Amino acid sequence: MGKFSTKNEGVSSTSEDYPFRNVSLPWEDRVNDLVNRLTLEEIQVQMAKGGPMNGISRLDIKPYQWSTECLRGDVDNNATSFPQSIGLAAAFSPDLIFRVAQTTGIEVRGRHNDFVKQNNYGSHTGASCFSPVINIMRDSRWGRNQETYGEDPHLSGVYAANFIQGLQGNDTRYVRASGGCKHFDVHGGPENIPVSRFSFNAEISEEDWRMTHLPAFRMCVQAGTYNLMCSYNRINGIPACANEKLLTEILRKEWGFKGFVISDDNAIKDIITAHKYINNSVDTVAACVNAGCNLELSGRRTTPVFLSLVDAVNQKKLTEAKVREMVAPLFLTRMRLGEFDPPEMNPYSKLSSADVETPKHLALAVESAMKSYVLLKNNGVLPLQKSGTIGVVGPMANDSLQLFGDYSAQPPQKYITSPLDGLSAMASKTQFASGCNDTVCEMYNSSDVLRAISGTEINFVVLGTGQKVESEGRDRPDTELPGQQKTLLLDVINNNPTKTPIILLVFSAGPVNISFADQDPRVSAIMQGFLPAQAAGDALRHVLLNDVKGAVPAGRLPYTWPMFASQLPPMVNYSMQGRTYRYFEGDPLYPFGYGLSYTKFDYTELDIDNAAVKAGDPVTGYFFVRNTGTMEADEVIQIYIRWQDPPINAPTLQLAWFNRITIPVSEKGVKVNFEIDAKTMALWYKDSWRILPGRLEMFLGGQQPHQKRAAPSNTLVAPFRIHGSKYLGRY
């Protein structure tokens, strides 16, 4: 941002005369003019209240609400609710997350425009999103896994970039809705087990920080995000929102970020009360602003910490020039949203509530849910035909609220279909029993379950978690099925009529221990549905019947599904050793990138354009993939790289390229070109990113190579060598 005068001069007689409203001036000049007209007291209020922001009547500046959540829909508003983020990640589709974010941006902006006309600046009425969440899913038990894109930095980064670009729009002048990646940084549990997130200190090596936790955020910044949210935790002893290394050295100096940083809700207060890092407001606001935090999200608190900003300046702990510099990105964001320009100039000002929950948006909700489902086991029973009598049991079958997950839009009931709705539409008669009082399943009724599975052609067991078991503020102590859900499933297995298929449907964010069901031949099929939101039932019906285009399951797990929780290191241990597929030790129940289909694929003719790659150049090539089954289907194509002789503890394997494409049944197959960016082959070595000489292997297929649990498609391998080295610097 530009340098600002410390004087308030040049006040015009009418608001129309102010240069900050002159659309012919450059953005920087307009921001300079506005910021220089503000008193320190006015700036203090602007930086202390993330929502709603007070107006400045003497300049005819209206209030503004920063606190808006857009994770996969306009949160808490009547809008289209797409599957929770972890399910969208399972689609492995950059195109899908772009379109979901694009649709979310349209609905958020449409409602925002109407809210402004109504002078409504309440919570979740703004056009600035605290989304997406791109923390790494490093522990299966973390309560907020559902909000993430899984455990891989590359997948998370590609998704973050596509989300930001889809949300913000492609207008050269205006932004539809501004994005904001969170939680920055080294934030992946615990929430409450074994200690509180509000006081937790994440101790991490520079190597793990740079190679696992920072890359997705850098890709978010490169995509043009307008803000980042600093997290609750400390990083190696220093609170994230007062961490100069994080917010200035890395974010602004190394990455060139020009936007603003907002604190997580009450995270500034926690620096005093929870971390006990500083013991007063004046020193805290000085530390945070000097470190690089622009805005305090202070919830409903009447005295935010940043209301001590003027005192900090008066005590010479902050300079006025720094304060004006830090408030500038807030007004630049509002300008780019079009607030200070004539509405007719801004194409996004035409959006309204009429653009919410359109037929196109509702269809995308169904498509998204279908693409998120992951088929984990199938002995040939799927896809199904419509049935006579079916049994449906389990607490997730008809609990629509728990199927939405945290941070969801609130669509009307007429657009919501539960798994029970979807399954009932496949049969002439449905016998249903929840079996449990709720998803926690502390109370279990065996007799109801046994009656429901008697005299049926197929029995569906619908289990899982929901927000009552895993959510923000609520970790899981283990990965077991909640309460007596395992007893319910065993009752079905042990009392199921002979030759009646059992299909297990799991709706959870993180993995649950179903190893016994996976190994039991009496369980014919298992599918993970995550938290699919409003279209859960419609999508489930289509996938099970394969009765519409695009219904063949092709989702892949965006995380490692451990066999047992004992395979996980302690939650508070932030070493990556033993975590995620990149460093996992042992055999999981299901590996990262795993998922089955109703058809089979064959990969051939992997050709690398140059097997001797100059350091700093991309790796390009092509291959063919053929659908050898009987039905058109999507395939998730994955390319991994492995360093054969790295000088450091490099990942065992690294996802380097992926895409989801539709492949018709064909003898010839489809030719696919790929390009692996040079930075994907870089390692953090001697305090910087470097591409080092050496031998690597490339693995191509619909899954990881060399997995004990594998899909029936093949994988190909091709060696290549990097010649020379290239210093990429610190980032």
Side-chain angles (χ1 to χ4, degrees):
M1 309 306 297
K3 300 294 184 181
F4 301 101
S5 166
T6 60
K7 299 179 181 179
N8 294 307
E9 55 190 358
V11 178
S12 301
S13 58
T14 64
S15 64
E16 288 77 10
D17 295 333
Y18 294 147
F20 72 78
R21 295 189 185 276
N22 185 341
V23 298
S24 66
L25 292 177
W27 294 117
E28 185 175 4
D29 291 353
R30 296 176 66 183
V31 173
N32 283 349
D33 178 72
L34 192 161
V35 169
N36 284 331
R37 294 179 187 278
L38 301 178
T39 67
L40 266 181
E41 288 74 16
E42 288 169 334
I43 293 175
Q44 174 176 263
V45 173
Q46 295 295 306
M47 293 176 64
K49 294 187 176 180
M53 185 78 68
N54 291 1
I56 305 172
S57 57
R58 69 181 182 86
L59 299 177
D60 197 24
I61 295 175
K62 295 180 179 180
Y64 188 72
Q65 175 61 258
W66 291 107
S67 184
T68 296
E69 300 280 357
C70 323
L71 190 61
R72 33 52 186 253
D74 190 2
V75 172
D76 287 344
N77 286 314
N78 185 339
T80 309
S81 182
F82 297 101
Q84 181 57 290
S85 297
I86 195 68
L88 293 172
F92 272 72
S93 172
D95 169 71
L96 180 66
I97 194 64
F98 179 91
R99 288 187 290 126
V100 167
Q102 182 181 56
T103 303
T104 296
I106 290 169
E107 297 199 353
V108 166
R109 186 55 184 256
R111 288 224 175 272
H112 168 71
N113 290 342
D114 287 354
F115 287 136
V116 170
K117 292 173 184 176
Q118 300 159 7
N119 290 316
N120 181 355
Y121 299 98
S123 182
H124 297 174
T125 61
S128 295
C129 297
F130 300 157
S131 308
V133 174
I134 56 173
N135 299 112
I136 297 300
M137 181 178 167
R138 50 176 282 280
D139 194 295
S140 302
R141 299 159 296 195
W142 184 35
R144 301 190 76 171
N145 285 327
Q146 59 177 280
E147 301 171 48
T148 76
Y149 296 136
E151 71 183 33
D152 181 70
H154 181 69
L155 172 63
S156 297
V158 170
Y159 259 53
N162 278 276
F163 185 100
I164 292 297
Q165 292 164 356
L167 181 80
Q168 295 184 169
N170 59 4
D171 189 82
T172 57
R173 180 177 179 88
Y174 296 107
V175 175
R176 180 168 46 221
S178 62
C181 292
K182 63 181 186 182
H183 308 83
F184 196 54
D185 191 30
V186 198
H187 184 74
E191 291 292 294
N192 65 323
I193 300 175
V195 296
S196 169
R197 60 178 173 160
F198 301 121
S199 59
F200 178 66
N201 179 34
E203 297 180 347
I204 189 168
S205 69
E206 191 77 11
E207 180 182 301
D208 283 341
W209 193 2
R210 297 281 183 166
M211 293 185 63
T212 296
H213 295 275
L214 286 173
F217 283 97
R218 182 170 182 268
M219 294 176 74
C220 174
V221 169
Q222 290 176 320
T225 188
Y226 274 74
N227 83 271
L228 296 181
M229 176 182 284
C230 52
S231 52
Y232 286 118
N233 55 286
R234 281 172 287 157
I235 304 171
N236 295 332
I238 303 174
C241 294
N243 196 309
E244 185 176 3
K245 176 179 178 179
L246 177 69
L247 303 183
T248 296
E249 296 301 321
I250 294 174
L251 178 60
R252 290 180 168 93
K253 293 183 179 180
E254 295 181 11
W255 298 354
F257 179 63
K258 301 297 183 183
F260 67 92
V261 173
I262 186 169
S263 76
D264 207 336
D265 196 14
N266 284 316
I268 304 298
K269 170 190 70 70
D270 289 339
I271 292 174
I272 301 171
T273 60
H275 293 292
K276 303 188 186 306
Y277 183 74
I278 301 173
N279 64 6
N280 64 85
S281 294
V282 171
D283 287 334
T284 301
V285 66
C288 292
V289 173
N290 282 324
C293 184
N294 306 73
L295 179 60
E296 178 181 5
L297 185 60
S298 51
R300 296 186 176 91
R301 296 179 65 237
T302 56
T303 55
V305 175
F306 272 29
L307 284 184
S308 295
L309 185 145
V310 172
D311 288 341
V313 173
N314 291 337
Q315 295 178 31
K316 301 189 183 307
K317 295 178 177 180
L318 265 176
T319 67
E320 184 173 343
K322 180 66 175 180
V323 169
R324 293 185 182 277
E325 174 191 335
M326 294 299 282
V327 80
L330 304 181
F331 285 104
L332 176 61
T333 302
R334 293 171 67 174
M335 284 185 183
R336 296 300 301 271
L337 287 165
E339 180 179 342
F340 302 105
D341 291 4
E344 58 270 19
M345 292 183 63
N346 186 351
Y348 303 127
S349 67
K350 300 178 179 66
L351 295 170
S352 71
S353 296
D355 297 294
V356 176
E357 295 171 324
T358 65
K360 182 180 178 181
H361 297 180
L362 299 177
L364 182 58
V366 177
E367 178 193 347
S368 302
M370 288 195 304
K371 287 185 172 179
S372 73
Y373 288 179
V374 179
L375 183 60
L376 301 174
K377 176 183 179 180
N378 184 19
N379 69 0
V381 68
L382 300 180
L384 298 170
Q385 301 292 321
K386 288 195 173 183
S387 306
T389 301
I390 63 172
V392 180
V393 298
M396 290 297 278
N398 200 34
D399 193 336
S400 294
L401 178 62
Q402 297 302 306
L403 287 158
F404 275 78
D406 281 346
Y407 293 97
S408 172
Q410 303 297 322
Q413 187 62 42
K414 64 181 178 180
Y415 296 139
I416 300 172
T417 58
S418 68
L420 180 62
D421 295 328
L423 295 171
S424 296
M426 297 167 44
S428 58
K429 180 182 178 182
T430 302
Q431 299 175 177
F432 168 64
S434 172
C436 301
N437 56 320
D438 58 16
T439 58
V440 180
C441 200
E442 293 176 339
M443 298 173 60
Y444 169 55
N445 189 320
S446 176
S447 58
D448 285 354
V449 169
L450 297 182
R451 277 195 296 268
I453 66 170
S454 177
T456 55
E457 297 174 22
I458 304 174
N459 285 320
F460 296 90
V461 184
V462 191
L463 307 178
T465 57
Q467 302 92 284
K468 288 185 177 180
V469 176
E470 52 176 339
S471 60
E472 181 174 6
R474 182 179 287 119
D475 294 321
R476 292 185 292 160
D478 50 45
T479 58
E480 296 302 314
L481 284 165
Q484 298 190 63
Q485 287 191 34
K486 180 177 181 180
T487 302
L488 185 158
L489 178 53
L490 288 172
D491 273 353
V492 175
I493 293 173
N494 293 326
N495 294 279
N496 194 62
T498 305
K499 297 184 179 180
T500 300
I502 298 173
I503 298 176
L504 173 59
L505 305 172
V506 179
F507 292 95
S508 66
V512 290
N513 183 6
I514 53 170
S515 55
F516 66 98
D518 178 80
Q519 295 160 11
D520 196 317
R522 293 172 292 180
V523 178
S524 301
I526 302 175
M527 186 175 291
Q528 167 66 302
F530 302 99
L531 300 168
Q534 69 181 56
D538 286 340
L540 179 62
R541 181 182 77 252
H542 292 318
V543 170
L544 292 176
L545 295 176
N546 187 29
D547 61 351
V548 297
K549 183 178 175 64
V552 175
R556 300 295 198 272
L557 289 176
Y559 53 69
T560 302
W561 192 307
M563 186 78 71
F564 307 109
S566 58
Q567 292 177 305
L568 301 173
M571 172 81 83
V572 297
N573 179 358
Y574 261 77
S575 167
M576 289 307 298
Q577 183 177 353
R579 293 194 185 276
T580 77
Y581 79 95
R582 299 164 72 229
Y583 303 97
F584 194 76
E585 299 166 359
D587 293 314
L589 179 60
Y590 307 115
F592 171 89
Y594 170 80
L596 303 175
S597 175
Y598 296 157
T599 188
K600 295 181 180 180
F601 299 95
D602 183 55
Y603 289 83
T604 59
E605 300 182 49
L606 171 58
D607 187 275
I608 299 177
D609 292 336
N610 188 353
V613 182
K614 180 183 176 183
D617 289 348
V619 175
T620 58
Y622 68 87
F623 55 88
F624 285 85
V625 57
R626 184 164 63 97
N627 184 340
T628 62
T630 59
M631 56 191 79
E632 179 180 273
D634 285 1
E635 170 69 333
V636 169
I637 301 168
Q638 304 164 55
I639 295 179
Y640 295 86
I641 58 174
R642 172 182 289 159
W643 292 265
Q644 291 191 320
D645 45 12
I648 64 167
N649 183 28
T652 303
L653 204 64
Q654 175 62 59
L655 182 68
W657 186 93
F658 69 93
N659 204 358
R660 179 175 181 140
I661 63 174
T662 301
I663 304 178
V665 177
S666 169
E667 287 295 323
K668 184 178 180 181
V670 175
K671 182 181 180 181
V672 180
N673 297 303
F674 67 88
E675 178 176 309
I676 298 175
D677 185 84
K679 286 186 172 63
T680 308
M681 297 174 279
L683 296 170
W684 182 259
Y685 180 63
K686 294 185 178 179
D687 289 329
S688 63
W689 284 99
R690 302 169 188 261
I691 300 174
L692 302 172
R695 297 175 298 127
L696 289 86
E697 290 178 305
M698 175 188 299
F699 300 94
L700 164 71
Q703 58 193 326
Q704 287 187 58
H706 313 313
Q707 293 297 307
K708 182 176 291 187
R709 187 59 176 266
S713 63
N714 64 318
T715 57
L716 301 178
V717 59
F720 67 99
R721 178 181 289 274
I722 296 176
H723 286 276
S725 62
K726 188 173 181 65
Y727 172 79
L728 301 180
R730 294 175 65 88
Y731 59 78

